[in-house]
Structure formats: structure tokens, C-alpha cells
Amino acid sequence: MQGPAGSGAPRTPQATPISAQSRAVDQLANLPYWLIFILLAGILLIYLYSSNETYVTALGRILNGVVVTIYVTAISYISALILGLAAGLGRVSKNKVIYNVATLYVQVIRGVPILVQLLFWAFVIVPLVIDGVNALGQWLTPILGDPNALTTVRSRDIDFTLRCIIALAFAYGGYEAETFRAGIESIGRGQMEAARSLGMSYPQAMRYVVLPQAIRRVLPPLGNDLISMLKDSSLVSALGVRDMTQEARLYASASFRYIETYTTLAFMYLVLTLILSAVVRFVETRWKQM
Amino acid sequence: MSSATGPIVSIQDVHKHFGNVHALRGVSIDVVKGQVLVVIGPSGCGKSTLLRSINGLETIDSGRVIVDGTVIDSQHKNINTVRAEVGMVFQQFNLFPHLTVLENLTLAQTKVRKRNAEESKQIAHDLLKKVRIPEKAQNYPAQLSGGQQQRVAIARALAMNPKVMLFDEPTSALDPEMINEVLDVMLDLAREGMTMLVVSHEMGFARNAASNVIFMEAGQIIAKGPPRELFDNPSNERMRQFLSKILH
């Protein structure tokens, strides 16, 4: 009785403060200091906003573009997922024509900078398509009877926001294609074989067996790409689309308040990406539980 | 479609190459309805390839495979219809991990057989009783032991009401104490008159259930006969060596 209690008694009070202390050190070491830094920077900015009229004006101008930024990001991303899924399925297809078309798309997209792709869609592909439609309309006029049926499409009818969305969607679609391909290939061959041996067709096996598993597996990279898309949407400012970046550029060049404007702009993107990555993490954990 | 007397599976002079490897060298087998055929042989002898060619998972270079009167051609549109008539059980179970046991059993029923949800669930529950794990319907495959998973896989194949069942080394990936629970289910099936082709080295199962045993080596059938005849009195020297190795 005496032995174990005597040997145990001094150890316990000695052990407790050490472990509590080390736990406190541990907690202190594991605090998200990066987040604290960002919060402090935010507080500093808020202080600047309360004391400096220019910051408030800059923020007001930049917020004018936030809807465009989010709109462009959302539409482009959803379109990119659809394009990427289609191209990803093409990349694993046994059909040589489909495989080659999908691979050509992916290789071209990955070999050209996104800014150049935006310029190319806006100033080369879209005008060419419009010319093509008009030529077709001219040719069809005697048949259709109505001279205005297809000849009235003007270049300015397709606004630059839409051109940018198309370009971003195709650019990111190329990247997502490889993500989807990797996901599909990571699912063992046995899954496809089991589904096929039950009499399912290839599309059925893909849809009900392989893709549900593959998509769950590629959620993290897909989430990362959504955040990248938000940042890359700033490229649309090069074509004059009035997103946050373009609003900032217009204000800065008119007021010469570069420091205030671009600090606010950078911080706005940071806030948006942090919110978005929290959302992405939330969705990922929810899906993992399912 | 099928005549009562003709073979339900007919394999006629089948050849298959994998690159330079001649995996099947003119294999011919007829399986009559209700027969249980056990295929044995050293690894790489073409047993699995033979089995997989019966439901078109492996294309063949020449010869013919006829299942229930239909020639198997993996490029042909009717391949899905034929596959639905041929149940397959894999060494690695290949259950769908994102679906519950019940959903594993109902998916192909509703998508391929076009049964309604109610009917397919009923069939699934009945089959889970048959393979002795009715309580696992709502579990996911990862929550089951290997033996349980393989029994679910058997039930999943049976849910399509196949005319033939193929077993590709169904117990090779199992812990020893789980082998019997799977073999018992297979024995039940054999007794009920299911036509079965089984690639397995379970000699006990072969003795109890097989109507015929085939010994393959290097892509050819070397010996064939009822299990008692073949095991107790192997006429072929190569087969004698093989048996002496696996029977201990």
C-alpha cells in the first residue's frame, strides 16, 4: 500500500505541471500565426480606412467590381468542370478519334499562357466565328428570304465579359480534364470489370461506379482550381472587363493613389480566397463523410 | 433460346495471345447445364484468361465462345445482354466501395434488368439471407470482413439471375479462417443446380462439388475428368507433381 502510493504520489504532481506546461507550449506553437498576421493586417487596414479618405474611396471603387469577379469566376468554373469532365472522359476513351481530339485540346491549352488565350479568343476566334455566321447568313438569304436572319450579328454583340468567360472556361477545362483523367485512372480496373460483368454498358459503369469514386478523390485539386480561377479572373482586366482589378487600375491611374488602391485590391483578393478555401474545406469534409 | 440438351457454355478451339505469350492454345470445353467445372493448374497457365473470355472481359484471337446459344463478341452490341446472364466473382471481390451492400446488389438490377426499386431490394434481401449476412445490408463494403465481402459479391452476381456463374480464384485473397464460409455458399449453389465454372485450388471443394475437373498447363488442357478419378489416380505425370505440391 505504502510502496505504490509513495512512489506514485511524488510523480503525479510533478508530471501534471510539466504536461500542462508542455501542452500550453504545444498549443502556442501550433497557433495559426499566419491567420493572426492576416487579421492584424486587416485591422491595420480598417484603421487606415477610418483615418484616410483615399482608402475608403479606393475600396468603394474596387467593390464595384466584386460582382463581376465572382460572376466571371463562377460561370467560368462551372463551364470548365463540364468541359473538363467531357475532355477527361475523352482522354481515357478507347475511341481513337475522341481520344485524339481530347488530347489535342489539353495539350494546346496547357501550352499557351492563359492571358494569351484570353486575347486569342477575344480577338481571333470570336470575330472569325462571327464572320463565319454572317457569311453563312449571306449565303442562306435567298433560301430564308429574310435578309436579316443571320447577317446582323455584329462583333460588338458578343461582349468582352462573355469572351473572357469562354476563354477562362476552355483554359481551365484543359486543366480539369487532366484532373478528372487522373481520378478515373486511380480507380482500379476491377471496378469497371465488375460493373461490366454485371451487364452494365460502359457509360453506365462510368456514371454509377467509376465517376462517383473518382470525383470524390479529385475534390481537393478541384477545390484548389476554384481558388486559382478566382485569382486568374483578374486577367480579364486586360480586356477592359470591369472586375475588381480593372476598377482598381482605372481608379489608380486617375487618382495616382497607387499604394492605397493596390493594397486594398490585394487584400480584397486575399479575403475572397480565404473565404473560398474555408468553403472548399467544408465541402471536402462533408463529402468525405458521405 | 437454349436447347435443353446442348451445352450452356461452349468453348471451341480458343486461342489468345498477350504480346508474345500464347496464353490459350486451342482450348475446347463444353459445360452442360447444372455442371460444376473446376479448373486447376499452375499460375500463368491461362485459367483466369479462359474464365474471363467467357464473359468477354478478355477478347480472344481465334475460336469461338458460345454462351446459351449466343456467340460472345466483345465488340458486339449484345455483349451486355450476354454478360448479364453470366455472373462473375473476382479474387479481389470488386465490390463498389461507395455504395452500401444493398445498393451493390440493386444497382445492376435496376439499371440493367430494369427492375423497380421495391422488387430489386426484395431480391437483394433474399440473397443476403441466402449468403448468411442479412444484417449487413446497410453497411459499406469496407466495414465487412473479406469473407463477408466475397459473399456479398456472390449475392451481387446472383441478383441478376445468371444462367452461369464464373468464380475466378474466389478464396485466394482470403484469410484461411474465412475460406470455408465462402466455399459453403458455393457448395449450396452447386447443390441447387447452378452451372458453375470455378478456378480454384480448393481441392476439398473440387472433390465435393465438381462434376468435372480440368487441369491446365501452358494454355492447354492436359487432363480432364471427374475429381475422384483425376485426383486419386492421376494418369498425367505433370499433374501428379502439381497435386503433390498443393495437397500438402
Side-chain angles (χ1 to χ4, degrees), chain A:
Chain A
M1 192 69 183
Q2 183 72 22
S7 64
R11 205 175 287 161
T12 320
Q14 207 177 12
T16 314
I18 286 174
S19 67
Q21 202 182 342
S22 69
R23 217 178 305 136
V25 170
D26 241 31
Q27 277 174 352
L28 209 62
N30 288 324
L31 280 179
Y33 288 105
W34 60 274
L35 192 60
I36 294 170
F37 182 83
I38 291 169
L39 288 175
L40 287 176
I43 291 166
L44 177 67
L45 268 184
I46 290 167
Y47 167 72
L48 288 171
Y49 286 125
S50 62
S51 60
N52 188 330
E53 192 68 21
T54 315
Y55 274 100
V56 180
T57 318
L59 179 65
R61 286 294 299 270
I62 288 167
L63 284 178
N64 282 339
V66 78
V67 172
V68 172
T69 290
I70 291 171
Y71 169 78
V72 167
T73 305
I75 306 287
S76 305
Y77 186 70
I78 292 165
S79 315
L81 286 183
I82 296 164
L83 280 169
L85 182 57
L89 286 168
R91 293 272 287 147
V92 298
S93 173
K94 280 196 191 115
N95 182 313
K96 291 291 173 225
V97 177
I98 294 173
Y99 169 80
N100 276 292
V101 169
T103 306
L104 176 69
Y105 164 57
V106 169
Q107 294 300 343
V108 168
I109 288 296
R110 295 205 301 180
V112 179
I114 295 182
L115 180 58
V116 177
Q117 289 184 41
L118 280 159
L119 296 169
F120 196 77
W121 275 97
F123 298 116
V124 180
I125 300 181
V126 170
L128 277 180
V129 169
I130 290 170
D131 286 350
V133 170
N134 284 333
L136 187 70
Q138 223 119 52
W139 184 67
L140 286 175
T141 302
I143 304 163
L144 294 170
D146 178 4
N148 291 328
L150 280 167
T151 52
T152 50
V153 188
R154 300 265 179 276
S155 199
R156 62 171 175 272
D157 292 342
I158 315 282
D159 74 355
F160 274 85
T161 311
L162 181 59
R163 295 180 203 204
C164 287
I165 288 174
I166 295 171
L168 281 176
F170 273 91
Y172 268 71
Y175 296 114
E176 304 317 358
E178 287 303 85
T179 304
F180 281 118
R181 181 190 58 77
I184 291 166
E185 285 178 349
S186 78
I187 304 301
R189 233 181 73 183
Q191 291 290 310
M192 177 57 90
E193 286 185 348
R196 298 304 304 275
S197 73
L198 286 165
M200 287 192 216
S201 63
Y202 179 86
Q204 280 178 329
M206 260 299 164
R207 177 168 166 208
Y208 298 112
V209 176
V210 177
L211 277 182
Q213 300 178 56
I215 288 174
R216 215 161 294 190
R217 222 170 261 192
V218 298
L219 271 181
L222 289 184
N224 283 341
D225 285 349
L226 174 57
I227 293 161
S228 297
M229 175 76 95
L230 177 73
K231 291 181 287 178
D232 279 347
S233 74
S234 63
L235 290 169
V236 304
S237 65
L239 290 170
V241 174
R242 295 181 74 153
D243 72 330
M244 296 201 311
T245 307
Q246 179 65 2
E247 291 287 353
R249 281 172 41 170
L250 291 175
Y251 177 69
S253 58
S255 65
F256 300 104
R257 297 292 191 174
Y258 292 107
I259 293 172
E260 294 88 340
T261 311
Y262 289 129
T263 307
T264 307
L265 179 66
F267 200 74
M268 280 304 298
Y269 275 110
L270 192 55
V271 166
L272 285 181
T273 52
L274 283 176
I275 293 172
L276 206 53
S277 54
V279 171
V280 164
R281 240 191 323 241
F282 175 75
V283 171
E284 271 170 29
T285 43
R286 280 296 294 272
W287 271 61
K288 234 172 249 168
Q289 281 162 4
M290 280 181 354

Side-chain angles (χ1 to χ4, degrees), chain B residues 94-109:
Chain B
N94 293 343
L95 292 179
F96 307 137
H98 62 301
L99 301 177
T100 63
V101 165
L102 189 68
E103 289 163 344
N104 263 278
L105 265 66
T106 54
L107 179 64
Q109 288 191 66

